[in-house]
Amino acid sequence: QDSSEAVVQAAVRAIGAAGRMEDVRPVRQLLTAANEPLRLEAAKALVRLGDASGAPALERLAYSSEPAIRQQAAVAMGETADPTFVPSLVYLLDDRHNVRRAALEALPKVVGRDVAGAGGRPPADLAERAELWKRWFREERAVGGKQ
């Protein structure tokens, strides 16, 4: 409830790092804050706390108009290793360089393997890695795979 959003962000970050909170409602309320970095911290904390509202909030932030928020959302998705984030991360592969790189670093963590590194030779660049992931995603969806 501090008047400084920076202080609130720091508090939310600390709560998320602690990994335990009896009543997450005060953090959940921050998902509607006007300040996107604050919403991002709240979403990350809720994911870490195991609250069901955290993952959808993090996914919504992947569609932010701010590239830095999209990049941080991709990094946070990778930290969770939750395969439900695959579609959002694949979407981010068509984004700016830094956002694409964050998504490419997160995807192997959420899938459990590096699809772009399979086949014996490492991909030449980010664009090739992104295309390999997008092809894999299309094929997985076509055969009804788990993403």
Side-chain angles (χ1 to χ4, degrees):
Q1 294 181 356
D2 197 279
S3 61
S4 168
E5 288 182 340
V7 171
V8 176
Q9 270 184 261
V12 171
R13 192 175 304 118
I15 289 168
R20 186 164 180 258
M21 184 175 185
E22 294 297 320
D23 182 6
V24 297
R25 286 180 294 180
V27 177
R28 202 180 295 144
Q29 290 172 349
L30 297 173
L31 294 176
T32 61
N35 178 314
E36 269 192 326
L38 181 54
R39 287 200 320 260
L40 178 66
E41 287 302 329
K44 290 180 348 184
L46 289 166
V47 167
R48 289 184 187 118
L49 294 167
D51 187 75
S53 65
L58 200 52
E59 286 182 307
R60 285 191 300 275
L61 289 161
Y63 295 87
S64 167
S65 62
E66 292 297 321
I69 296 294
R70 296 191 306 268
Q71 179 184 7
Q72 292 172 39
V75 169
M77 289 177 192
E79 291 171 355
T80 69
D82 183 345
T84 61
F85 290 128
V86 170
S88 295
L89 289 167
V90 169
Y91 165 78
L92 292 173
L93 293 176
D94 291 322
D95 210 309
R96 296 174 180 215
H97 178 80
N98 59 336
V99 178
R100 178 185 295 178
R101 180 180 297 282
L104 283 169
E105 290 173 5
L107 276 163
K109 296 173 186 175
V110 301
V111 172
R113 62 190 171 99
D114 189 357
V115 171
R121 81 169 176 83
D125 58 18
L126 288 180
E128 184 180 350
R129 288 181 66 208
E131 285 307 313
L132 289 168
W133 274 104
K134 288 190 278 187
R135 183 180 324 135
W136 170 84
F137 183 66
R138 285 190 305 269
E139 290 170 0
E140 285 291 306
R141 287 180 43 194
V143 296
K146 49 184 171 172
Q147 299 178 15

